[in-house]
Amino acid sequence: MATIAELRLPADEFVLSYTLDTLENVDFEIERLVAHDPEEVMPYVWAAGVDADELESVLAEDPTVDEIERIARPDEAVLYQMHWVESIETLVHILLEEEGTILVAEGDRGGWLLRVLFPDRDSLSRAYDFCKENDLSLDIQRIYNVDDGKQGRFGLTDEQEETIAAAYERGYYDVPRGVSLSDFAEELDVSHQALSERIRRGHKTLVENSVIVGRGGNEEDGSDQ
């Protein structure tokens, strides 16, 4: 089943790290991205937040960029075509080896957020394993199956996420517990059994989408019914 994952990569391990480190306020958004071979990635990139001339002088010194061409400047942002040649291992593996599709890619000094469509959960697991084996950081923020619609962080439904967050805040996970399951269920106005099942399903989804995802785990649906 096709899987969408939201991934975060640190700025200092990814392309344009020199530019992001040099220019504090620059923001990048990828319009379209193509990888023809393992040595080069050719994106169209929107840049905003800094003067275009200043940006281009810094990009000229960025070792991850081989060529840049200004395509358009409709408003405050500028559209460039770039040739990325370094720090692209993660992208190349996702695009060429796992046949992933980059749906969204945004970067600033705090890092890059990628939303990627993978053919299935196994391809996401392989991408995670590749990064781990090559000392590349890849933080999986969210996972959801295309057929199920977008779900929350780590694949949790809104109800599961709100319940687990509330349980944490009420001390349910403390030792000793700050609130019993029965009292917590009464506060939420649900039955003891319904709350227990919701928390267990949420925990299972968290484990599958954070711990097991890098170990080739199954794709069983953990959504709350």
Side-chain angles (χ1 to χ4, degrees):
M1 180 182 296
T3 297
I4 294 177
E6 293 183 5
L7 314 173
R8 183 162 289 281
L9 294 80
D12 60 356
E13 293 184 20
F14 198 54
V15 72
L16 297 174
S17 57
Y18 174 83
T19 300
L20 289 169
D21 184 59
T22 304
L23 300 174
E24 181 178 358
N25 297 319
V26 65
D27 297 309
F28 292 113
E29 180 179 350
I30 296 177
E31 176 79 12
R32 187 169 67 88
L33 191 151
V34 178
H36 295 292
D37 59 62
E39 305 298 326
E40 183 181 57
V41 175
M42 298 172 56
Y44 287 87
V45 182
W46 287 101
V50 296
D51 176 75
D53 292 333
E54 181 183 11
L55 172 61
E56 289 165 19
S57 68
V58 175
L59 285 170
E61 301 297 324
D62 195 319
T64 67
V65 181
D66 184 39
E67 299 177 18
I68 63 169
E69 179 183 356
R70 188 188 295 190
I71 303 297
R73 187 175 183 176
D75 296 303
E76 295 298 321
V78 185
L79 178 64
Y80 295 97
Q81 183 177 24
M82 300 182 183
H83 289 200
W84 291 348
V85 294
E86 290 186 16
S87 302
I88 56 175
E89 297 90 345
T90 302
L91 272 181
V92 167
H93 184 85
I94 289 173
L95 294 170
L96 296 183
E97 300 298 326
E98 304 304 339
E99 299 182 349
T101 300
I102 307 294
L103 303 177
V104 174
E106 300 173 340
D108 57 24
R109 178 171 280 193
W112 284 83
L113 178 66
L114 309 182
R115 184 175 296 125
V116 184
L117 173 64
F118 289 93
D120 50 43
R121 185 67 62 88
D122 287 343
S123 57
L124 169 59
S125 294
R126 289 192 298 268
Y128 179 89
D129 290 341
F130 171 83
C131 290
K132 186 175 181 180
E133 292 164 3
N134 289 275
D135 296 322
L136 300 169
S137 300
L138 184 67
D139 181 17
I140 300 174
Q141 302 272 294
R142 302 172 187 265
I143 303 173
Y144 46 97
N145 294 325
V146 175
D147 290 350
D148 296 334
K150 182 172 180 179
Q151 295 189 18
R153 181 172 174 81
F154 292 112
L156 296 173
T157 66
D158 289 343
E159 191 171 48
Q160 288 171 341
E161 184 171 354
E162 291 169 2
T163 299
I164 290 174
Y168 178 86
E169 292 169 357
R170 292 287 286 109
Y172 177 75
Y173 301 109
D174 293 348
V175 180
R177 282 180 173 171
V179 64
S180 69
L181 186 64
S182 297
D183 289 343
F184 188 36
E186 185 174 347
E187 290 180 16
L188 298 180
D189 195 24
V190 298
S191 69
H192 180 285
Q193 181 178 353
L195 180 59
S196 176
E197 291 179 358
R198 185 187 304 170
I199 290 176
R200 287 203 312 273
R201 287 173 177 163
H203 288 169
K204 180 184 178 190
T205 300
L206 279 173
V207 171
E208 287 178 346
N209 292 340
S210 58
V211 178
I212 304 301
V213 68
R215 304 183 182 183
N218 61 52
E219 297 181 26
E220 189 174 342
D221 182 19
S223 62
D224 200 2
Q225 303 297 325

